[in-house]
């Protein structure tokens, strides 16, 4: 493995500020080890995650709170809060920053996250958003309580999960709970619904490729036979067969190239506009981090190779047809009717 970090998570922790109090998830971390082990997608936070870790590293009682917590109770950097959990007396913390996302934390409310609020008009039901407090593990252990914590591992790219399991067992540790990100990723990729979506999109792509190929080929062949007389005149003027082939290839590459560039631009814009609609097919509470359209450079390279092979095959067929046409007979000068 590359790095490891201790992470303490208390799901039923409580916080209070003045007369208000509520429940939140408490996460205790070591800022240095956490920054080397954990990962979060860029642009989800206002700044890089390491900047938030450096922000609270200077003060043991500093914490980061979720945006939902800040908006619900009007908390802001500099405010003092008390955090604890049932059976443990609370300790004082100082808010240093507000975050929207955090590794392993889901900010979206689930199906059962509703609360009943009493008002003057009666009682109303509203959705309760999850709340999070991120602080120093050492401060939590020294001022609250010492309880079991998790160990997060960042593996090397070539490392496999079975080797890690075996190494842990060889060192005499018993695993009470295990969550493997690689296995979850594989499970997500092989999910039937996901495979169905990918299969439909792949089939549509292949059909589009074949339609485009035969469309270009049909255009090239019809254009060739319609201009046979013109080619014959050019040959009679002294243009060699090789020069004629190069001229045809350049002409078709320019025409087809413009169509390909327009198609790539249109496809990219369409993907950005309409592919995110697939998000509606999934449970919103599971869409963390948010749905994002990405363009894998490897897929784009494969696409360019397919287009290149398609044009090369089309030009080869076009050259074969041209070689069989007796262009020199297209112009019969001085022939009697």
């Amino acid at each position: 493995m590359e790095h490891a970090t201790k992470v303490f998570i208390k799901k039923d922790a409580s916080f209070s500020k003045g007369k208000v109090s509520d429940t939140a998830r408490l996460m205790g971390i070591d800022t240095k080890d956490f920054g080397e082990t954990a990962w979060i997608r860029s642009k989800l936070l206002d700044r890089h995650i390491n900047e938030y870790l450096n922000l609270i590293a200077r003060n043991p009682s500093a914490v980061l709170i979720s945006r939902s917590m800040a908006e619900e109770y009007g908390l802001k950097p500099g405010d003092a809060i008390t955090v604890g959990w049932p059976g443990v007396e609370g300790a004082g913390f100082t808010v240093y920053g507000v975050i929207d996302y955090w590794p392993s934390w889901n900010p979206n409310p689930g199906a059962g996250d509703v609360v009943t609020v009493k008002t003057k008009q009666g009682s109303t039901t509203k959705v309760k958003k999850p709340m999070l407090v991120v602080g120093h593990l050492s401060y939590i252990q020294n001022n609250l309580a010492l309880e079991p914590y998790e160990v997060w591992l960042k593996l090397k790219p070539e490392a496999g999960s079975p080797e890690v399991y075996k190494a842990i067992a060889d060192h005499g540790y018993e695993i009470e709970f295990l969550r493997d990100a690689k296995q979850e990723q594989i499970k997500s990729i092989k999910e039937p619904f996901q495979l169905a979506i990918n299969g439909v999109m792949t089939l549509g792509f292949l059909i589009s490729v074949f339609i485009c190929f035969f469309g270009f080929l049909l255009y090239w062949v019809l254009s060739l036979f319609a201009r046979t007389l013109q080619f014959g005149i050019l040959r009679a003027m002294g243009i060699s067969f090789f020069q004629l082939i190069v001229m045809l290839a350049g002409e078709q590459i320019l025409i087809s190239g413009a169509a390909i560039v327009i198609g790539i631009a249109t496809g990219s814009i369409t993907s950005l506009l309409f592919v995110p609609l697939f998000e509606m097919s999934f449970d919103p509470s599971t869409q963390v981090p948010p749905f994002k359209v990405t363009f894998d450079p490897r897929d784009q390279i494969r696409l360019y190779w397919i287009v290149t092979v398609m044009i090369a095959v089309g030009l080869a067929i076009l050259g074969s047809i041209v070689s069989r046409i007796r262009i020199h007979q297209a112009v019969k000068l001085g022939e009697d009717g």
Side-chain angles (χ1 to χ4, degrees), residues 27-327:
M27 178 181 289
I29 61 173
D30 180 275
T31 55
K32 181 179 182 300
D33 293 338
F34 191 84
E36 294 176 342
T37 306
W39 172 87
I40 190 171
R41 198 177 76 194
S42 60
K43 297 182 180 180
L44 290 179
L45 299 173
D46 295 335
R47 299 181 181 179
H48 194 276
I49 184 173
N50 289 345
E51 295 189 33
Y52 287 95
L53 295 175
N54 293 334
L55 179 64
I56 65 174
R58 296 172 292 181
N59 186 352
S61 63
V63 293
L64 302 172
I65 63 173
S66 61
R67 181 76 60 183
S68 57
M69 184 172 167
E71 293 178 350
E72 181 74 17
Y73 297 101
L75 297 176
K76 60 185 181 300
D79 290 347
I81 60 175
T82 301
V83 180
W85 58 83
V88 175
E89 186 178 355
F93 294 85
T94 304
V95 177
Y96 267 49
V98 179
I99 52 178
D100 296 289
Y101 296 92
W102 198 253
S104 79
W105 179 65
N106 187 350
N108 296 335
D113 292 336
V114 293
V115 292
T116 301
V117 181
K118 295 183 179 180
T119 61
K120 295 180 180 180
Q121 292 77 17
S123 60
T124 59
T125 302
K126 70 173 185 178
V127 177
K128 176 178 171 55
K129 295 182 180 180
M131 300 181 185
L132 176 70
V133 179
V134 181
H136 290 270
L137 175 61
S138 58
Y139 184 84
I140 294 173
Q141 292 177 336
N142 294 330
N143 293 272
L144 291 174
L146 180 61
E147 292 193 1
Y149 51 81
E150 300 177 2
V151 176
W152 292 10
L153 305 178
K154 180 181 180 181
L155 304 184
K156 295 181 180 179
E158 67 275 6
S161 300
E163 290 86 353
V164 177
Y165 306 154
K166 184 177 183 303
I168 294 175
D170 292 342
H171 283 74
Y173 294 102
E174 295 183 2
I175 301 177
E176 294 186 359
F177 173 77
L178 177 66
R179 184 177 180 183
D180 193 330
K182 288 186 178 180
Q183 298 301 324
E184 290 188 5
Q185 184 180 16
I186 294 173
K187 183 180 178 181
S188 176
I189 293 175
K190 293 185 177 180
E191 185 183 3
F193 187 74
Q194 189 76 23
L195 290 175
I197 292 180
N198 294 337
V200 170
M201 296 181 69
T202 302
L203 180 61
F205 168 73
L206 294 177
I207 293 175
S208 300
V209 168
F210 281 110
I211 292 177
C212 292
F213 171 73
F214 287 110
F216 281 129
L217 186 61
L218 181 63
Y219 168 76
W220 292 344
V221 172
L222 293 178
S223 176
L224 175 65
F225 282 104
R227 299 165 61 189
T228 303
L229 178 61
Q230 177 184 354
F231 297 151
I233 295 174
L234 294 175
R235 292 282 285 126
M237 293 172 60
I239 294 180
S240 64
F241 179 77
F242 176 77
Q243 291 176 325
L244 183 61
I245 292 296
V246 171
M247 182 186 69
L248 286 174
E251 177 183 318
Q252 302 305 328
I253 289 176
L254 289 175
I255 295 176
S256 304
I260 291 171
V261 171
I262 295 174
I264 292 175
T266 304
S268 300
I269 296 173
T270 304
S271 298
L272 293 173
L273 293 177
F274 294 101
V275 172
L277 296 178
F278 283 114
E279 183 179 7
M280 295 187 298
S281 303
F282 301 93
D283 183 6
S285 62
T286 63
Q287 292 301 306
V288 179
F291 197 93
K292 179 182 179 182
V293 180
T294 60
F295 297 91
D296 191 343
R298 294 175 297 180
D299 290 338
Q300 290 181 319
I301 291 175
R302 296 189 189 103
L303 175 61
Y304 298 148
W305 272 111
I306 292 174
V307 172
T308 302
V309 171
M310 181 182 70
I311 293 179
V313 173
L315 291 177
I317 296 174
L318 185 64
S320 176
I321 295 176
V322 171
S323 64
R324 296 179 182 180
I325 297 177
R326 299 179 180 180
I327 299 179

